[in-house]
């Protein structure tokens, strides 16, 4: 019998940008907050899948 050796390790939760990482001007593309939100969404999806198994 074969064992499943494809065990996924949960990725670390992304950290919110520090106050000095955002200029607050709203003209950066992408903004550090845009990147954070995308990474957090991906993190939530991965962890949701891992919790269902």
């Amino acid at each position: 019998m074969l064992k499943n050796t494809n065990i996924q390790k949960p990725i670390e939760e992304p950290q919110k940008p520090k106050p000095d990482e955002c200029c607050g001007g709203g003209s950066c593309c992408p903004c550090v907050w845009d990147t954070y939100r995308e990474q957090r969404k991906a993190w939530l999806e991965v962890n949701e899948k891992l919790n269902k198994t």
Side-chain angles (χ1 to χ4, degrees), residues 4-46:
N4 184 1
T5 58
N6 186 20
I7 299 172
Q8 291 182 331
K9 293 171 61 175
I11 58 173
E12 290 187 30
E13 181 177 4
Q15 299 298 308
K16 289 182 181 180
K18 295 178 178 119
D20 64 343
E21 293 179 310
C22 178
C23 71
S27 61
C28 298
C29 188
C31 175
V32 294
W33 283 100
D34 295 333
T35 304
Y36 167 73
R37 283 189 286 271
E38 288 177 15
Q39 291 173 345
R40 178 146 170 86
K41 181 180 177 184
W43 176 80
L44 288 169
E45 289 172 358
V46 166

Side-chain angles (χ1 to χ4, degrees), residues 1-5:
M1 180 177 228
L2 295 173
K3 291 184 178 181
N4 184 1
T5 58

Side-chain angles (χ1 to χ4, degrees), residues 8 47-53:
Q8 291 182 331
N47 283 299
E48 183 178 317
K49 288 178 185 177
L50 289 176
N51 288 331
K52 286 184 178 181
T53 59

